[in-house]
Amino acid sequence: KKNTDDTNGSNVQVINACVSSGSIDVMTASFPLAQTVAYGTASGYQDVPSGSSLNASVNITGSSTVWASGLINLVEDKSYTMVASDNVTTMQVGIVEDELTAPASGQSKLRFLHLSRNAPPVNLEVGGVTLFTQRSYNDYLANSGLASFTGYTVPSGAPVNVSVYVYGVGALLYTLPSAGLQVGRIYTLALIGEPGGSGNASLRCVLLNN
């Protein structure tokens, strides 16, 4: 998504993987980065003013209590994803720059974020092809390259299954059936929830549009 006006703007989306949060707002002193982002969803990119040393804070929608805050730098005409994970009282927040050039012909672009705090390291398969290996909880915080996108040739015919396996063991943790990947699109696959969790906190992999 490109800015089309003459203001100094960046594009920011927020992923809410914070168990028990409901929905969250991410604010700066002057403007919101995203509001009412439900658990397990992404806000979609929004045009916001760029700037350095912006103080961003996260609160539960409808509450003034700040659960996480920190300084971020947004460069003009760049795109970013901010991720909230863990649970409300021990919330972790990271931000990465997104490279959103169009996928190659016949492909989509995918990345994988392991955001399940108690899940073991995992491998992730898409359509039977292992695309991501030995990924651990919030590993992108120490290595932002792990939040990069990789090309995936979308097969013709039926949608593909996305499967998450325990690294080094091979036990199946979760399958997202019939993921409707489309040529030319960019996606984030996120492992959220908790092993053994129930209801909204159950372990699952979600497919998010970028």
Side-chain angles (χ1 to χ4, degrees):
K1 182 178 179 182
K2 300 292 186 181
N3 289 294
T4 57
D5 57 28
D6 294 327
T7 60
N8 296 324
S10 307
N11 296 306
V12 177
Q13 73 162 347
V14 172
I15 294 174
N16 180 4
C18 186
V19 178
S20 77
S21 66
S23 63
I24 61 173
D25 299 333
V26 183
M27 312 292 291
T28 70
S30 302
F31 56 86
L33 293 175
Q35 293 179 283
T36 320
V37 185
Y39 172 68
T41 71
S43 65
Y45 290 99
Q46 302 183 60
D47 295 333
V48 299
S50 56
S52 60
S53 298
L54 297 170
N55 188 26
S57 60
V58 184
N59 59 277
I60 305 304
T61 300
S63 169
S64 60
T65 301
V66 174
W67 291 105
S69 65
L71 298 179
I72 60 173
N73 298 309
L74 303 178
V75 177
E76 183 179 358
D77 291 334
K78 298 288 188 179
S79 297
Y80 300 88
T81 294
M82 181 179 288
V83 183
S85 60
D86 210 313
N87 63 26
V88 172
T89 57
T90 55
M91 187 183 295
Q92 296 190 52
V93 179
I95 187 169
V96 292
E97 183 181 331
D98 296 340
E99 199 283 298
L100 299 178
T101 56
S105 177
Q107 292 191 339
S108 61
K109 286 168 63 172
L110 302 171
R111 69 174 166 194
F112 174 61
L113 298 177
H114 185 324
L115 306 176
S116 174
R117 58 180 179 162
N118 293 323
V122 301
N123 292 349
L124 184 135
E125 290 185 1
V126 180
V129 178
T130 301
L131 292 185
F132 305 95
T133 60
Q134 200 175 352
R135 295 297 303 274
S136 57
Y137 173 59
N138 273 350
D139 53 8
Y140 80 96
L141 292 175
N143 180 1
S144 61
L146 295 174
S148 299
F149 296 93
T150 187
Y152 173 72
T153 300
V154 180
S156 59
V160 298
N161 291 342
V162 175
S163 299
V164 182
Y165 295 91
V166 179
Y167 170 75
V169 177
L172 179 65
L173 276 181
Y174 182 83
T175 295
L176 172 65
S178 301
L181 303 178
Q182 299 180 30
V183 171
R185 299 292 296 273
I186 303 175
Y187 302 96
T188 296
L189 287 158
L191 184 67
I192 66 171
E194 299 178 331
S198 60
N200 207 34
S202 61
L203 183 75
R204 62 189 186 277
C205 190
V206 294
L207 180 67
L208 306 170
N209 289 300
N210 283 83

